[in-house]
Structure formats: C-alpha cells, structure tokens
Amino acid sequence: MNEGIAGKLAKQFINSKITPLLMVASLLVGIMATFMTPREEEPQIVVPMVDLYIPYPGAAPAEVEARVAKPIERTLTEIPGVDYVYSTSMPDFALVTVRYKVGEDAERSMVKLWSTLMKNMDKMPPGVQFPLMKKVSIDDVPVLNLTFWSKTKSPYELRQSAVTVADELKKISNIGDVEIKGGLKRQVKIELNKAKLQQFNVSPMQIARQIQQGNSQMTSGDFKQMNEELVVRSGKFLESAEEVSNIVVGIYGSAPVYLRDVATIVDGPEEVNNYNFFGWAAAAPKGSVSGEYPAVTLTVAKRKGGDASVLADKVMSRVEGLRKTVIPSGITVTETRNYGATASEKVFTLLEHLLMAVVAVTIVVGFFLGWRGALVVLASVPITFALTLLIYYLLDYSLNRVTLFALIFVTGIVVDDSIIIAENIHRHFAMKRQPKLQAAITAINEVGNPTILATFTVIAAVLPMVFVSGLMGPYMSPMPIGASLAMIFSLLVALIATPWLSYRLLKTEEGHHEEYDITKTGYYKLFNNILSPFIESSFKRWLAFGVVGLMLVGAIALVPLKAVQMKMLPFDNKNEFQVVIDMPDGTSLEQTARVAKEVASYLKTVPEVESYQYYVGTNAPINFNGLVRHYYLRQKANMADIQVNLVHKGDRKAQSHDIAKRVRADVQKIALRYNGNAKIVEIPPGPPVLSTLVAEIYGPSQEQQIALAKQVKQVFEETPGVVDVDFLVEEDQKVYNLVVNKERAAFRGVSAEQIAQTLRMSLAGMDVGVLHTDKQLDPVAIQVRLPQSGRTSLQDLSGIFVQSQGMGTLTTRLRAGQMIPLSELVTVQEKIQDKSIYRKDLRRVVYVTADVAGATESPVYAMLDMDKKIAKLKLPGGYSISPLYTGSGVSDDKLSMKWDGEWQITFEVFRDLGTAFAVVLVIIYLLIIGWFQSFKTPLIMMIAIPLSLVGIIPGHWLHGAFFTATSMIGMIALAGIMVRNSVLLIDFIQIRRAEGADLKQAVIESAAVRTRPIILTSGAVVIGSVVMLFDPIFQGLAISLIWGGVLSTILTLVVVPLVYYMAEKKSTVTVKNKSK
Amino acid sequence: MRFLLPVAIALLVSGCGNQAGTHAVKEREPAPVAVGTLVPVRTSGEAGGREVLLVPASSVFRNGELAGVLVVGNDQRITRRWIRIGRIVKGDVVVLGGVDKGELVVGEYNPELGEGVTVIKSPKKTEEAESK
C-alpha cells in the first residue's frame, strides 16, 4: 500500500520529540487566548444605522413630509450601500432613519451620508433648521446600570450625587458614555408674575433679552504701559440666583425695575418632568425593604472592543470606594444591570458545557476502546479547541454565545478524526499482523485519506453558512468559521498528535490472542444476520426500502400537520424583561405614572421578580432591542417603561418567556382600565426587529391606510395567539390653535413671531442662559416661565402681554412699549392634532404591530391564519387584498399589505440556509466524485442525507420544540457527518473488493468493520449534543444532531450497503453478461 | 467502566438545570388602621366654566419637588399617588394631574401610613367631609 499524505505526516511525527512540545505549546496559547479575548453575551453586530433629526418648526406633518422627508429620502436612497430609509414626519420635525447593509463600514457610511445631505441642504425650504445626525451603534447600549435610590432623599438630591459619581467614573479608562436617567436637575427658575409685569410695563421677551445680555463676559483687549501688558476684561457672568434676581429688566417711572420685582426667582430642582421609582419585589434578597423609592439610574456604556466584564468590575470597585465619600449614607446604590457579569457567566456556562461534552464523549469512547483509547481522544480535544480559541483571538472575535456555541457544536465532530485513527490503530494492534510501529502507520494509511476527505465533507457542509445575509449574517458567521477552523485543527491533531499518543498509550497485549478473523466478531454475525436476507431476496430488499420511504414521508408530513412548527429562534432564558406602556396621547405625566405604578405593584407580586424600576417621562436604559426599535425616544408624558429584573435563572424554575407570557394578560388588563396599551418586551434571541409581527399597509391616502389598518388591527386582535397588538397611529389629540389676527396685530404694532415667542416662553419656558458656577457638574439653566399654577388653562393666557413696537396712524397713536394683552390679538381654534406620517423606502406606510405568544409561538402560522381573514376584508374599492410575503407592491393606487418583522429575517435566514444546503450537496457530490472517480457512488452515499429527516422531525415533535434556524444548521452539519460515514463504509468495501473479496462478502464485512467507528463517531456527536438540549436556543440543533444522528446512523448502516450492493450487482452482472 | 455512563448522564442532567427554589419574601399583611377622614377629590367651577380638581391642602405631602396624596382604592388599600399641583384655593389645592374626581384621599397626611395599608373606612366621617 503506498503512503498517502496521512501516512507521511504520521511517520514524521509518530516518534518525533517535537510532537509533545507542539501539543503543550498549543494548549498554553489556547489558555492565554481564552483569558485575553473580550467576553460578551451577544456577538458584536455592526448595523450602521443613522438617525437624522430635521427640525422644521411650525410645519404640519404633511408639510414636513412633502418638503423635508420626501426629498431627503430620495437623495439618501441613492447612496450605495443603503438598505432601507425610514422616515417619520411629525409636527415640527422629521426623523429620518437610514439603515445601511449589514457589514458596511460605519465611518465611511457616515461620511457618504453627510456629503449627500450637505449637497442637498440648499434645496430645503426656508425655516428648516440644521439637521442633527446621530449614529446609532451597539456601543450606545449601557452594559452597567446603577440605580441610586433612597428613602429620605428627593430625586433632586439623588441626581446630584449620581452626577458626582458619574464624573468620577469618567476617569476610568475604556469607559464609554455615562448617562443619568431620571431625577431633577438644578435650575434657576424665573417664575413670572403676570400682574407685576403689567404693572411695571415689562414684557417676558424683554426679560429674556436683559438676562442674556447681562450674562456675558469677555476679554476686551489690553493696555500697553510701562513695558507691560495689562489685560482688560469686561462684563461678569451670572454666578448665583441672587445675581439673577438683581438684573435690571426695565425702568418704571424713574426707578429701575429689578427682576425680583416682577418674578419669583427660585434656585432649586427643575419642575417635575419624570417619575423614576425603584422597588424590591417578591423575590428580593432577604432583608430588603418593601415599598418603592425615588430613583435615578446611572448608565455606563463601554467603548468598542472593550470587555464588558472588566469594565463592570472596575466601575463597581470605584463605586465601592465612593460609597464612603461622595455617596451620602441615605442613598443605596443597586446594580440593576450588569451585562459584564451576565456575559462572563454565559461564557463560563458554555465553557462548562463544553467540558461536559468532552467528558461525556470520552466516556463513550472509553466503552469501545478502553480507557487508554479514551485518553488519546480526550487529549486531542483541548488541543483542537486551544488552537481555535487562538484563532478567535487573532481574528478579533469575542467570546460570546455564538462563538462558543460553534465549539460545543463541533465537540462531537472534532473527536471523530481522532476516534477513527485511534480506533483503527487499536484494531491493527489487536490483529497483531505487524510490528507495533508498522501496524500504526498501516492503520493510519488505511483510514487517513478517507478521514481527510470526510473532514472536508463536514467543512463543506458548514462553511456555506457564512453566506447568510441580512442581520442574521453576523450573528451566525462565527459559527461556520469557528467550526471549520476546529475541523481543520482536529484533522491536524488526528494526524500528528493522535498517532504519537496512540503509539505510546495503546497496548497490544489486550484483545484477541488468536489470529484475527473478521467472521468471528460479533459485529460480523450481527450484520450477516441483518443484511443477508435483504441481499438474497430482492422482495425483502424493496420492502425494506418501502418501509424506510414511508418513515421519511411520515416524518416530513409532521411539518404541514403543524406537529412541528417552524420559528426562527426561540426565546432565551434571560434575567429581565420590560413592560412598555403607551397611554393615549395627551395623558398627563401623573396619570401615566399612576398606571405604571399600578402595573408595577402587580409585577412585584410575581414570585420570580426580584426588583423593578419604572420610568415615566424618560426612557428606561435601552438594550440592543430598544436601540433598533428607537425606544430611546420614549420620553413623552404618555409613555412609561418598566424594567423588570428577575431572579437569577438558576434560582427559578420558569423560563423568562413563560413568566412574560404569564403576566401579560394581567398587565394588559390594568393598562386597559386606563385606556392604555401595555406590551411585554422580551430580549429577542436573534436580531431585533420593530415587532415580531408587522403588517405594513400601503395605499393611496392616509385615511384609507388608517381605515384598513384599523380593520387589520381588528383581525390581529381576534386571532388567538396574537398579543400586544398596536398600531403606529396616534389617537386623536386635542390641540388649541391660537390664530393671530393679522390686522389687529398690525394695528397694535406686534409681530406674529413676538406672539409665538412670548407664548412659548410662558408655557414651555425658555432657557435664557446658564449659571456660570464652577462647582456644578451639570449645567444649571436659567429658565423663564410662568409658574405652574399660572398656566393651566386658556384663561391663564389672557393675562400675558406683549410689547407694541409702536404704530402711528391717522386714527391711533400707539407709542412703542405699550403693553397689549395677547387675548386681544389671537382667536382660539380647537382642532385635532395631525397624525404623524410614516414612510418606508419612499412610500407612505401605516404599521400594525403585534407579538405572538400562547396559542402559537411562531409568527408564520399566525400570519397564515390571518391571511384568510384579511383577504375577506371589505375595502372601499371593492377588491380584496392578499398580504405579500416578500418584496412590496409597486403601485400605491390600491391598498396593499406586506408582512414584515421577524418574518423578514426568518425568510432571509431559511432562504439563505436552504441555498447553502443546496450548495453543500453539490460540493459534497463533487468532493466524492474526485475521490472515488465515479458519478454513481456519491449518489449512493448521499442517500443518507434525507434519512436524517426521519430522526430530526419526529425528534422535534417528541421534545415539543420548534424547528429553528439552529435545527437547520444541525441538519446541514449532519449531512456532512452522514456522508462521511458512507464514505468510510464504501471505501472499505472497495478496498476489500480490490483485494479480491466477493461483493456480498465485502458489503457485510465492511458494515461489520466500520460499525464501530461509525457508531463511535455518531455516538460522540449525539452525546456531545446532549448538553445543548437544555439551552433554549441551541435545543433545536441538539435535537437535530441527536435524533437525526441516531436514526440516520442506524439506517445508513443498513440502507447504504444494500443500495451499493444493488447498484454494483447490476454492473457486475452486466460486466459478466458482456464477457459471456 | 460501564457503570460510569449512567453516573455521567445523571451528572450532566443535574448540572444543567440547577433549579433551586426562589427565596421569596412574604410581605406581612398589615393590620387595618383607622385614618381619620377620607375626602373625595372634588371639582369646583373656575372662571370661564372650566372645572378643576381639588384636594385639601392638608392631604398633600412632598418629597423634594414631588407632591403626592394617599389615595384609598376600592380594595381599601392606601397607595401613594404623585400629583401635579396648581394654586391653592382656600385650604384646598388645585390638582392638575394624577387623581380622578371622586377618588378618596386621606384628609390628613400621616407619614406613618405606608403603601398597601388597609384602612377602616368610616362613612360617617367621609360624608361629613363631603358636606363641609
């Protein structure tokens, strides 16, 4: 037998001193890499997304859309690399969101966007202000939240101490943004006294001007004198409320009017604009106080590429140090989010799983090869993984769920090469036909080349997954890359380290002493009994094929029967979820707070909830999901977020998703009592989307779109399993439109702008400057406003005056400075606020959103369910709509609807994985043709691939699990493994036949000889996957590998030899016939 | 060697789903207390035909800038409710947001009354307060 690459390599290393050194070195670098690679929970995904805020004060949504959103969208769509452009036109401003294709360089995208925008600024209508451009990135998501809460301190004091702590924390290296949510800032409030203003003849505008002018200081220049330069400065900044109150704002009679004469100046907390409360719940640590307390949250983000757990540890120790000095004793600081800790925990759990998988596999190998064989296999795994971890580190991957998952996934596969080699060496040692060294090399030669082929088959199976596009791409790409790398290393280890170890560890004494005879082994007897009847009788053979065929059809039938449902990814077991409450537009902050509190008081009774924190009027610290959903804009008075922290997943039985499902109905009942809409928002296991179910409604006019959206919403609500139904259409909100009477204003010498400014200052308040103190870390604004009690109704506006700029006509003579009451100049119109206009990819759209839980967990089935109902809807045009699944209709003349949300990603993933699978089959086919030089043999080998479905689908049914993207990955990988088994089988048949054995004899012998390595390798895959069964996300993969592995291995051992026999018998018969 | 497998699997299984019970803190049920007068949130006509909500000034408590009242719900339990207050009218405070008309508030704020305390409602006193 001539030596292949495998034999040559083995010969080089089997007795070399370098081999153990290489092994030790690999292990060491691997261990180092494990500790140096940054740890995270989720893989880093760069979704270049940019938000553009374009203010257009005064414009109605329709105008904003037509003049700003539309033209900007059009130009932005032309930028190469832009995937989607969304816009929302609201009263006074437009929000345009640009999403680049996943993987586009963030900085380059920003530059392109900026230049395109600048090029088109001249086309903007007058009045449009300069756009604010904000890059949204994953690093904006805080990794650590610290909640400052107190029984005795007020939100103002809490914020003060949080600000001080934040300032200290910013000194830590590698720290990202530090922000403070909630609390009240210090402010100098100038509360105008309407009566005094009128009495002293001072207008609010005048006050603003005087403060602004009084709050300046500058360097005027210098004098040169006596060979010296003297710097001259003038003016003085306002440094205290006292100084503010002493500003002269006007002259009355012959005396100056000070600000304190016409207004009350208060230096202290700003007006309440948010409610942020923290409370311990049912599962709080022992000894925690009950009740809820004012809170302020300090959020810490990390820099790109930083390690969250290292940063979190540094911050926590810093805070510990500040506890005595900066943080007053009454304030408790509680850690309410620590992604660093969760990431470390996840990583270590996965490493632990990895270890368990390796141990389990070793035990299985031990059964067949004895403890020495097991030791050989056990030693090869850490080396493989050490090298893979090193490559992760070099490729800038982090240790996260996906990269580690790749390792667990291949645990069962990477041992295979070593198993096959060790097993064959073991067999050859047992046969005692050759001296030890010679036997080892022969053994390696025998299986070396098919092993190399088999390894490449498996790599060919997983590698095409790199080409999954869309948001899911970066999530999944470390998997095929990691798995392929591990496979290559495992091959090298099998060819270099395993022979070295086997040669030293495996003993020749054990086993049989007589001359080796295959026909006497148990395997041979077994296969002789099983295969012979089928080989001899073609009827029995066809019967067997028929049974297998039926099993396959039966298994596949489970999918349309909905016994096995498809879902992209199941929910992970997290330690938190959020409740998002939307009250009708126009709800007061206090009413929203009340609803939030009521929902929170229910949530605190849920046994698994450890603590909760609700945020009203300010958004809760976002997560990746909130980032994509723009939850950071949830700062209006009618919105509340409740952050719910569960006890650690080890300390509870229920999964977070089940808890979320359980509380949903009650939470919604409470919200509904106040006409609110509450949603339970869980952290999605995969890439986030606007909502799980999204119906995009296009049409000729907004009214028709909204009308249809209402009907679709109705359908959503009626469908069981569809929950959290909402649509992005604001409810009617009353607005008072103060229309300026132009003639009257002109006669009084007052401009429309003056009126608008005065009104704004009185109601919303106007920041007229900041206090220049160096002690304060947060800037202290000086705000002019009417006091709260003075701006509660339209009547309150009657006392506001504007100053005339003077007007002289024939009939009236009005001197400048005359005070004119506003009520004289405006008339009030009550109307309904215009609705925001949403656009996606240049078309107007109305979104209806929902989630699925309960009756169905998979959006696809809910969608199919609702399709029928939606098709029946009556539309004004008399036609019916059929919701689109991909693409979007071309014309807006008719109403149309498209499904989006999780479906879009599911579709992309399964499409790409399906394509990948097809490519995999072709590559495998080509590889085997190259090896066996036959077009037919590869087809026989690939019969094993569909056979895996017989196990996979019923396996999912048995576990009551979803067929997920990870199941699909398992199926694809299994194709590689099964083909490899066939390769090993048929390769041996051919070797035996070349040695002159009879076809039937060769087939049975091959089955007998190869059963042990096949069962061993498949067994390793199966046992290695058992660990993953308990992980909600990777369960599908485990089921695929376990059930698919078991069934297709059994079937392969019978079906493949039989098919090969049939195919070869025909050709031998024809050859014989020809020779006759 | 063979006995190792069941042991290993048992270890595997137990290692994965480490499920200890939650250590829930049972909240003590406070005994019902009498709280004096309960005053319903009233409305009063303002100039211009607009109505405003009123609560007694004595019922309002403050925590820094936050203002609140103790509301007794239908379940006889006290909740702290944050309110936004406007001007003061003859011993009453105008509430701009946070309570609805007719809700019962504890007439005299008492810091000892905590969240969730059950109250004994005395209808007589309530009516008195109403007719006042």
Side-chain angles (χ1 to χ4, degrees):
Chain A
M1 199 188 284
N2 65 331
E3 283 175 1
I5 312 164
K8 280 183 192 145
L9 261 177
K11 219 174 189 177
Q12 284 291 323
F13 285 99
I14 199 161
N15 254 333
S16 171
K17 299 273 181 296
I18 224 90
T19 317
L21 286 181
L22 276 177
M23 281 157 51
V24 173
S26 318
L27 274 178
L28 287 179
V29 291
I31 292 166
M32 262 163 59
T34 315
F35 284 99
M36 282 164 75
T37 316
R39 290 188 286 268
E40 315 174 282
E41 186 160 5
E42 302 290 334
Q44 281 275 351
I45 297 185
V46 184
V47 190
M49 200 166 82
V50 182
D51 281 345
L52 289 167
Y53 303 82
I54 309 160
Y56 187 10
E63 198 185 350
V64 173
E65 186 211 10
R67 303 258 176 88
V68 180
K70 241 189 212 175
I72 285 195
E73 271 175 52
R74 220 172 282 143
T75 53
L76 295 183
T77 333
E78 288 164 15
I79 304 176
V82 167
D83 210 5
Y84 296 104
V85 179
Y86 306 91
S87 78
T88 313
S89 306
M90 287 170 260
D92 300 331
F93 83 100
L95 166 66
V96 182
T97 305
V98 184
R99 227 183 73 190
Y100 284 85
K101 292 204 174 83
V102 175
E104 288 278 323
D105 182 72
E107 268 68 41
R108 212 173 301 157
S109 307
M110 284 291 276
V111 173
K112 275 191 256 177
L113 183 66
W114 184 251
S115 58
T116 315
L117 199 63
M118 284 305 102
K119 206 168 70 186
N120 289 288
M121 273 317 279
D122 59 334
K123 293 184 188 123
M124 290 290 107
V128 169
Q129 291 172 10
F130 202 73
L132 175 68
M133 211 162 119
K134 274 195 173 174
K135 190 175 82 177
V136 180
S137 98
I138 178 85
D139 291 312
D140 296 340
V141 174
V143 293
L144 185 74
N145 289 348
L146 298 173
T147 300
F148 290 62
W149 58 277
S150 166
K151 278 183 185 177
T152 49
K153 303 275 194 249
S154 70
Y156 171 64
E157 292 163 300
L158 283 168
R159 191 179 170 103
Q160 294 277 332
S161 85
V163 167
T164 327
V165 173
D167 190 59
E168 284 293 318
L169 293 182
K170 279 177 191 152
K171 294 173 190 162
I172 296 173
S173 64
N174 252 328
I175 200 163
D177 280 344
V178 181
E179 273 181 57
I180 291 158
K181 298 262 166 229
L184 297 171
K185 288 181 192 159
R186 182 177 157 196
Q187 195 179 50
V188 175
K189 285 186 283 193
I190 299 167
E191 294 179 341
L192 302 175
N193 186 329
K194 285 183 286 187
K196 291 274 179 60
L197 284 178
Q198 196 193 354
Q199 185 195 331
F200 288 109
N201 206 8
V202 179
S203 77
M205 296 275 283
Q206 200 179 338
I207 291 175
R209 210 162 41 233
Q210 289 301 325
I211 298 172
Q212 275 162 352
Q213 286 166 0
N215 193 9
S216 79
Q217 172 180 320
M218 62 172 82
T219 307
S220 316
D222 54 55
F223 292 128
K224 292 179 180 61
Q225 195 187 49
M226 296 286 289
N227 208 14
E228 256 182 275
E229 287 194 0
L230 297 166
V231 178
V232 181
R233 303 174 67 95
S234 69
K236 185 172 181 297
F237 282 136
L238 296 172
E239 282 173 10
S240 68
E242 168 100 50
E243 285 177 21
V244 175
S245 65
N246 286 333
I247 289 177
V248 177
V249 289
I251 304 290
Y252 183 69
S254 57
V257 180
Y258 295 101
L259 188 55
R260 58 170 186 265
D261 297 333
V262 293
T264 320
I265 290 100
V266 187
D267 182 1
E270 60 185 338
E271 235 170 62
V272 178
N273 54 22
N274 70 77
Y275 288 93
N276 179 346
F277 283 85
F278 171 85
W280 290 110
K286 284 198 180 79
S288 318
V289 288
S290 63
E292 58 178 35
Y293 302 96
V296 165
T297 313
L298 186 142
T299 69
V300 179
K302 72 179 179 73
R303 288 228 187 108
K304 199 180 163 159
D307 187 326
S309 54
V310 172
L311 178 66
D313 290 346
K314 271 192 207 162
V315 170
M316 286 318 290
S317 68
R318 187 91 202 196
V319 169
E320 223 35 66
L322 294 173
R323 227 178 264 264
K324 280 145 210 131
T325 52
V326 177
I327 307 170
S329 57
I331 295 178
T332 316
V333 181
T334 306
E335 191 185 280
T336 43
R337 172 192 288 181
N338 188 342
Y339 282 175
T342 52
S344 279
E345 193 196 313
K346 192 93 197 174
V347 166
F348 285 116
T349 316
L350 285 170
L351 285 173
E352 194 183 304
H353 283 188
L354 197 59
L355 200 69
M356 287 200 287
V358 172
V359 169
V361 167
T362 312
I363 291 170
V364 174
V365 175
F367 271 115
F368 288 88
L369 301 182
W371 67 271
R372 287 165 183 280
L375 207 60
V376 172
V377 174
L378 179 65
S380 64
V381 178
I383 302 172
T384 307
F385 285 157
L387 289 170
T388 314
L389 285 168
L390 175 70
I391 298 288
Y392 275 164
Y393 173 68
L394 295 178
L395 286 181
D396 272 346
Y397 279 132
S398 58
L399 282 187
N400 58 49
R401 222 169 63 184
V402 179
T403 48
L404 282 171
F405 158 58
L407 293 187
I408 299 185
F409 157 65
V410 294
T411 309
I413 310 176
V414 292
V415 292
D416 290 1
D417 290 343
S418 297
I419 290 178
I420 292 168
I421 302 251
E423 194 271 346
N424 214 36
I425 294 175
H426 181 80
R427 194 170 65 91
H428 275 260
F429 280 3
M431 287 197 311
K432 288 187 167 176
R433 280 181 186 156
Q434 287 169 308
K436 211 176 164 191
L437 182 65
Q438 202 53 46
I441 291 173
T442 314
I444 294 159
N445 251 325
E446 198 177 279
V447 288
N449 290 347
T451 307
I452 297 174
L453 173 69
T455 308
F456 281 104
T457 339
V458 178
I459 293 177
V462 287
L463 203 56
M465 280 187 268
V466 176
F467 301 108
V468 170
S469 60
L471 264 176
M472 205 51 186
Y475 246 85
M476 296 190 28
S477 72
M479 257 219 30
I481 292 172
S484 303
L485 281 170
M487 287 301 299
I488 290 174
F489 288 128
S490 81
L491 182 63
L492 290 175
V493 168
L495 295 179
I496 294 170
T498 309
W500 190 88
L501 286 165
S502 306
Y503 181 61
R504 275 154 191 82
L505 282 172
L506 295 180
K507 288 279 184 284
T508 46
E509 289 86 40
E510 57 182 272
H512 319 274
H513 286 276
E514 71 271 35
E515 176 67 8
Y516 182 79
D517 181 6
I518 181 123
T519 53
K520 281 182 187 150
T521 60
Y523 292 119
Y524 182 84
K525 283 175 195 150
L526 179 73
F527 277 96
N528 199 13
N529 288 339
I530 297 173
L531 290 178
S532 291
F534 295 121
I535 288 176
E536 275 146 24
S537 153
S538 71
F539 170 72
K540 280 183 185 162
R541 201 157 60 221
W542 284 111
L543 192 71
F545 288 159
V547 169
V548 172
L550 273 179
M551 281 162 75
L552 186 60
V553 172
I556 294 173
L558 287 175
V559 176
L561 288 175
K562 288 193 192 174
V564 174
Q565 298 201 342
M566 314 264 260
K567 188 179 192 332
M568 191 180 66
L569 284 175
F571 279 101
D572 197 1
N573 192 5
K574 293 279 187 180
N575 290 335
E576 58 173 322
F577 66 86
Q578 255 185 6
V579 179
V580 168
I581 303 170
D582 289 284
M583 298 297 290
D585 292 81
T587 306
S588 72
L589 192 67
E590 283 69 26
Q591 179 72 2
T592 314
R594 166 187 180 181
V595 178
K597 181 174 177 178
E598 210 156 305
V599 172
S601 357
Y602 159 70
L603 286 169
K604 82 196 259 193
T605 62
V606 176
E608 289 93 350
V609 177
E610 184 178 58
S611 66
Y612 65 89
Q613 194 173 359
Y614 63 85
Y615 299 81
V616 185
T618 176
N619 64 304
I622 52 162
N623 49 34
F624 188 28
N625 188 36
L627 185 78
V628 170
R629 294 187 180 182
H630 285 86
Y631 279 175
Y632 47 90
L633 298 178
R634 295 182 53 81
Q635 301 188 350
K636 290 193 195 157
N638 64 329
M639 297 168 173
D641 295 354
I642 307 175
Q643 173 73 30
V644 183
N645 298 316
L646 303 173
V647 280
H648 187 268
K649 54 189 151 204
D651 299 336
R652 61 182 143 90
K653 286 198 178 76
Q655 298 254 318
S656 61
H657 181 56
D658 297 324
I659 300 170
K661 265 198 294 196
R662 179 154 33 102
V663 301
R664 178 175 272 119
D666 289 321
V667 166
Q668 282 173 342
K669 215 190 295 164
I670 297 170
L672 206 61
R673 214 184 299 150
Y674 301 98
N675 283 324
N677 185 333
K679 298 192 196 84
I680 310 283
V681 182
E682 293 170 72
I683 298 176
V689 285
L690 177 63
S691 186
T692 311
L693 271 177
V694 177
E696 293 174 353
I697 291 161
Y698 299 96
S701 74
Q702 203 186 6
E703 290 73 44
Q704 285 190 41
Q705 280 172 294
I706 292 178
L708 176 60
K710 277 185 180 147
Q711 284 181 300
V712 171
K713 193 177 165 220
Q714 186 76 28
V715 171
F716 270 42
E717 278 160 358
E718 285 163 2
T719 310
V722 177
V723 295
D724 290 1
V725 182
D726 197 3
F727 66 167
L728 294 185
V729 178
E730 295 103 336
E731 256 162 79
D732 290 350
Q733 187 186 0
K734 204 160 62 175
V735 287
Y736 290 122
N737 215 356
L738 298 181
V739 185
V740 177
N741 187 325
K742 292 194 185 90
E743 289 77 16
R744 211 176 278 172
F747 273 115
R748 299 281 188 273
V750 177
S751 70
E753 200 207 339
Q754 237 182 314
I755 297 172
Q757 292 266 14
T758 307
L759 273 171
R760 188 170 166 75
M761 201 184 296
S762 317
L763 295 177
M766 186 188 259
D767 286 350
V768 291
V770 289
L771 220 53
H772 291 259
T773 55
D774 43 358
K775 283 177 202 135
Q776 213 63 32
L777 298 162
D778 245 0
V780 182
I782 304 171
Q783 195 186 54
V784 183
R785 203 177 192 182
L786 284 180
Q788 183 106 59
S789 53
R791 50 180 161 89
T792 57
S793 67
L794 274 177
Q795 278 69 40
D796 289 333
L797 295 182
S798 60
I800 300 175
F801 288 81
V802 282
Q803 231 165 8
S804 167
Q805 280 155 357
M807 173 59 67
T809 62
L810 289 174
T811 49
T812 48
R813 188 157 293 275
L814 209 62
R815 64 179 174 81
Q818 183 80 31
M819 301 299 275
I820 316 287
L822 258 186
S823 50
E824 215 177 274
L825 303 172
V826 294
T827 45
V828 180
Q829 278 181 356
E830 212 178 289
K831 58 176 241 177
I832 302 298
Q833 176 80 287
D834 289 325
K835 310 259 185 294
S836 297
I837 300 170
Y838 294 87
R839 288 163 65 86
K840 182 187 174 186
D841 289 338
L842 306 176
R843 296 167 73 195
R844 274 191 181 193
V845 63
V846 171
Y847 298 102
V848 183
T849 63
D851 215 314
V852 280
T856 175
E857 288 280 322
S858 167
V860 181
Y861 296 94
M863 282 157 63
L864 291 172
D865 236 25
M866 288 187 285
D867 265 2
K868 294 170 208 145
K869 294 184 200 164
I870 290 170
K872 281 187 203 137
L873 290 179
K874 289 199 173 55
L875 297 183
Y879 52 90
S880 72
I881 50 161
S882 48
L884 298 165
Y885 281 80
T886 57
S888 53
V890 268
S891 116
D892 275 343
D893 301 341
K894 278 183 170 183
L895 285 165
S896 60
M897 187 191 130
K898 184 194 170 285
W899 290 112
D900 203 277
E902 196 187 291
W903 157 251
Q904 187 64 34
I905 293 182
T906 313
F907 166 72
E908 282 172 10
V909 167
F910 279 98
R911 178 193 66 195
D912 294 344
L913 281 180
T915 319
F917 194 51
V919 174
V920 164
L921 294 182
V922 173
I923 295 176
I924 291 179
Y925 185 66
L926 293 177
L927 271 175
I928 314 177
I929 290 178
W931 176 248
F932 285 98
Q933 293 297 323
S934 154
F935 289 112
K936 199 168 60 185
T937 319
L939 289 179
I940 299 171
M941 294 174 175
M942 289 166 79
I943 283 176
I945 297 174
L947 291 184
S948 63
L949 283 177
V950 176
I952 294 174
I953 300 175
H956 280 85
W957 176 66
L958 276 176
H959 284 264
F962 294 103
F963 188 88
T964 60
T966 60
S967 310
M968 186 90 175
I969 294 171
M971 195 175 106
I972 295 177
L974 208 55
I977 300 169
M978 287 306 130
V979 169
R980 188 197 54 198
N981 288 347
S982 308
V983 168
L984 291 175
L985 262 179
I986 291 177
D987 184 61
F988 195 81
I989 300 180
Q990 290 193 337
I991 291 175
R992 288 297 292 146
R993 287 189 71 201
E995 285 169 15
D998 172 45
L999 177 60
K1000 181 189 165 192
Q1001 186 63 23
V1003 166
I1004 297 177
E1005 249 180 53
S1006 154
V1009 169
R1010 287 302 189 216
T1011 300
R1012 193 163 70 170
I1014 287 178
I1015 289 186
L1016 259 181
T1017 51
S1018 304
V1021 172
V1022 170
I1023 299 295
S1025 310
V1026 170
V1027 201
M1028 283 190 281
L1029 266 184
F1030 304 97
D1031 189 304
I1033 299 224
F1034 304 135
Q1035 194 190 28
L1037 179 103
I1039 294 172
S1040 283
L1041 289 178
I1042 292 171
W1043 290 97
V1046 168
L1047 267 122
S1048 71
T1049 304
I1050 296 170
L1051 292 174
T1052 309
L1053 283 172
V1054 178
V1055 174
V1056 171
L1058 283 182
V1059 176
Y1060 183 81
Y1061 175 77
M1062 253 172 61
E1064 287 301 303
K1065 197 183 70 180
K1066 267 186 206 146
S1067 54
T1068 21
V1069 168
T1070 42
V1071 171
K1072 273 177 194 166
N1073 285 348
K1074 270 180 195 164
S1075 60
K1076 269 177 195 171
Chain B
M1 189 61 75
R2 271 164 212 275
F3 67 89
L4 273 177
L5 187 65
V7 175
I9 288 178
L11 276 175
L12 275 180
V13 173
S14 65
C16 295
N18 179 23
Q19 288 154 349
T22 54
H23 39 82
V25 183
K26 285 270 184 296
E27 269 183 48
R28 275 174 295 114
E29 191 67 29
V33 288
V35 291
T37 39
L38 287 182
V39 186
V41 177
R42 289 175 296 121
T43 55
S44 138
E46 279 261 292
R50 295 187 61 86
E51 288 199 315
V52 292
L53 297 166
L54 294 175
V55 294
S58 56
S59 68
V60 178
F61 66 90
R62 286 184 164 272
N63 178 359
E65 202 45 16
L66 304 179
V69 286
L70 299 176
V71 177
V72 178
N74 290 332
D75 55 356
Q76 311 290 305
R77 280 170 188 276
I78 288 181
T79 22
R80 278 163 187 265
R81 183 80 58 73
W82 302 110
I83 56 170
R84 186 167 291 248
I85 53 179
R87 70 180 133 253
I88 295 171
V89 187
K90 287 181 273 175
D92 282 337
V93 175
V94 175
V95 182
L96 304 175
V99 286
D100 287 330
K101 182 185 173 184
E103 280 191 288
L104 294 175
V105 300
V106 175
E108 292 283 333
Y109 173 68
N110 178 356
E112 277 158 30
L113 293 173
E115 186 89 35
V117 172
T118 313
V119 300
I120 307 162
K121 216 197 276 185
S122 60
K124 201 178 133 207
K125 280 181 176 174
T126 310
E127 269 161 36
E128 260 171 40
E130 226 164 338
S131 61
K132 197 162 62 178

